[in-house]
Amino acid sequence: LFLEAWRALGSTRLALRSTPFKQLVAGLTLHREPVEAAVVGPEALEQARRIGWAVRAATGYTPWRSSCLVQVLAAKTLLARQHIPWVVHFGARPGQQGDLNAHAWLSVGPDIIVGRRGHRAFGIVATYASVTATGQAL
């Protein structure tokens, strides 16, 4: 799983450098307000936690910078392969010099799998979800 996560980080980093973001999220519905994640069973939640661990661990061994966005999109890809529903949150906050700081995190059920550190300091500006709490596929 660690090697799979490492490869997903690399392919995600390459995709972000070579593909417009709009193309990367094509086919997903953008929500301007938070969306509750679909309820998942204990086995799926445990697998999601393992995937989150693998992505976070592999990040420390990449020769490139694996930002929160790279980690989130890599984890999303691995979760989708396992048919585990996910929610990606994009947040923003004012920076110290009038700029804007951004952060991304990914949740499965009640857990934040990737990007937990500091996420509460960011207001959610956009959300993408594979399946909502109502079971609506996106």
Side-chain angles (χ1 to χ4, degrees):
L1 191 55
F2 176 89
L3 290 175
E4 189 177 357
W6 192 87
R7 284 191 299 269
L9 288 165
S11 61
T12 299
R13 166 83 173 176
L14 181 62
L16 281 170
R17 294 183 63 91
S18 62
T19 308
F21 184 75
K22 286 184 179 185
Q23 277 185 282
L24 291 175
V25 296
L28 299 177
T29 303
L30 170 65
H31 299 273
R32 299 263 179 224
E33 296 185 16
V35 173
E36 289 189 37
V39 176
V40 297
E43 300 86 16
L45 186 56
E46 187 55 38
Q47 179 64 11
R49 289 174 179 156
R50 283 192 293 271
I51 288 170
W53 170 86
V55 168
R56 291 188 310 274
T59 295
Y61 293 93
T62 59
W64 56 84
R65 183 173 180 274
S66 292
S67 65
C68 58
L69 180 59
V70 171
Q71 293 176 49
V72 162
L73 295 178
K76 175 191 78 66
T77 299
L78 297 175
L79 290 165
R81 289 181 190 163
Q82 299 289 320
H83 306 287
I84 299 172
W86 47 264
V87 176
V88 171
H89 307 275
F90 292 104
R93 71 173 182 205
Q96 293 180 355
Q97 299 176 340
D99 55 349
L100 194 63
N101 294 328
H103 185 54
W105 61 98
L106 180 144
S107 58
V108 172
D111 288 8
I112 296 175
I113 304 303
V114 177
R116 174 186 296 278
R117 179 179 284 171
H119 79 282
R120 286 196 173 102
F122 294 84
I124 296 174
V125 295
T127 303
Y128 293 89
S130 62
V131 178
T132 65
T134 62
Q136 177 186 12
L138 303 175

